[in-house]
Each structure stands twice: as structure tokens, then as C-alpha cells.
């Protein structure tokens, strides 16, 4: 059975993509720590990040770093947070998000999907797409 991330990647359910190639996809999470919070995922379903082939893991991290640099420059934050959690969806993913302190590392404090402003989410995705090219 496909994960929710695979359904987003395949266009079966909507997603706000900021990057996609044949190996890696990056899209905004529907429950962000802050606007711009992006998930970097392998296109191929792999449950645990420790099971990802080293070359693909390196590519995912290169994409995460590009997105992180764009987040810092475009979202007026001190740093880009980076987190691997992975219990909520059995499809490995890296969280990259605007961070000014450690509070962003607590995923219990995310905005629920119904609390986000769709226009701000769309603008954040557009900003990141433009910044990373």
C-alpha cells in the first residue's frame, strides 16, 4: 500500500512541491512548525532513513541543504532546522524548517492543517521554488 507521501509524489493527492526529480521530492508539510517547513523524501518508498542507499541519502541531504539555505535567506530566520523523526509516516523524510531557537524541534507544537493560511502556504512554496531554481 502506498504511503501518503507516495500519493503526493504521484499526484494522487495535492502537495505544494518546491523540488522534484526522479529520485527526490520536496514539498511543504501540511502541519508546519513555521511557514516554509519542507519535507525532503525519496521518491522510492523506504521506511527508515538508515535503509536508504548512501548515494540517495547524499542526494537527499544536498536537496535539504539547498532548501535550508533558501529558508534562511527568504524567511528571516537565524537558521534552518533539520530533523529526522519518521514515526508518523512510514516513508523516510527530512524536516527542514525556519528556526530561531530550539522550539521548532518539538513537532508537538506544529500548526494543524486547519490552522494554516492557504495563501501563506502557497506563497511559502512559491518563495522556495524561486529561491532554489
Amino acid at each position: 500500500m502506498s504511503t501518503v507521501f507516495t500519493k503526493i509524489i504521484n499526484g494522487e493527492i495535492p502537495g505544494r512541491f518546491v523540488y522534484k526529480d526522479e529520485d527526490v521530492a520536496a514539498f511543504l508539510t501540511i502541519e508546519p512548525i513555521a511557514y516554509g517547513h519542507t519535507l525532503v523524501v525519496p521518491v522510492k518508498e523506504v521506511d527508515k532513513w538508515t535503509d536508504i542507499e548512501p548515494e540517495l541519502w547524499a542526494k537527499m541531504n544536498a536537496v535539504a541543504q539547498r532548501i535550508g539555505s533558501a529558508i534562511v535567506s527568504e524567511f528571516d530566520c537565524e537558521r534552518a532546522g533539520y530533523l529526522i523523526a519518521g514515526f508518523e509516516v512510514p516513508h523516510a523524510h527530512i524536516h527542514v524548517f525556519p528556526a530561531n531557537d530550539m522550539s521548532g524541534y518539538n513537532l508537538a507544537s506544529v500548526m494543524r492543517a486547519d490552522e494554516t493560511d492557504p495563501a501563506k502556504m502557497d506563497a511559502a512554496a512559491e518563495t522556495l521554488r524561486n529561491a532554489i531554481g
Side-chain angles (χ1 to χ4, degrees):
M1 187 163 123
S2 294
T3 69
V4 67
F5 293 164
T6 297
K7 290 177 182 179
I8 292 169
I9 292 164
N10 291 340
E12 297 170 35
I13 58 178
R16 290 179 173 92
F17 285 88
V18 301
Y19 178 89
K20 185 177 178 189
D21 66 25
E22 65 279 355
D23 301 312
V24 178
F27 45 85
L28 297 187
T29 179
I30 62 169
E31 294 187 330
I33 288 294
Y35 292 103
H37 184 164
T38 303
L39 303 177
V40 179
V41 303
V43 169
K44 176 183 170 185
E45 284 185 22
V46 180
D47 183 10
K48 299 173 188 161
W49 71 269
T50 52
D51 293 336
I52 297 172
E53 297 169 9
E55 297 81 15
L56 178 55
W57 182 244
K59 186 172 184 180
M60 287 176 62
N61 277 277
V63 171
Q65 187 173 33
R66 281 179 58 194
I67 292 167
S69 293
I71 284 172
V72 170
S73 69
E74 302 296 324
F75 288 88
D76 191 33
C77 57
E78 193 172 324
R79 297 178 187 262
Y82 176 108
L83 179 66
I84 303 167
F87 287 99
E88 62 278 2
V89 177
H91 192 145
H93 54 287
I94 302 167
H95 294 258
V96 184
F97 52 91
N100 289 308
D101 56 40
M102 292 300 293
S103 64
Y105 288 85
N106 180 0
L107 295 178
S109 59
V110 298
M111 290 181 264
R112 290 190 329 262
D114 62 351
E115 296 173 327
T116 61
D117 180 334
K120 288 182 181 179
M121 294 289 283
D122 291 341
E126 182 72 17
T127 296
L128 287 172
R129 277 193 298 274
N130 290 337
I132 66 173

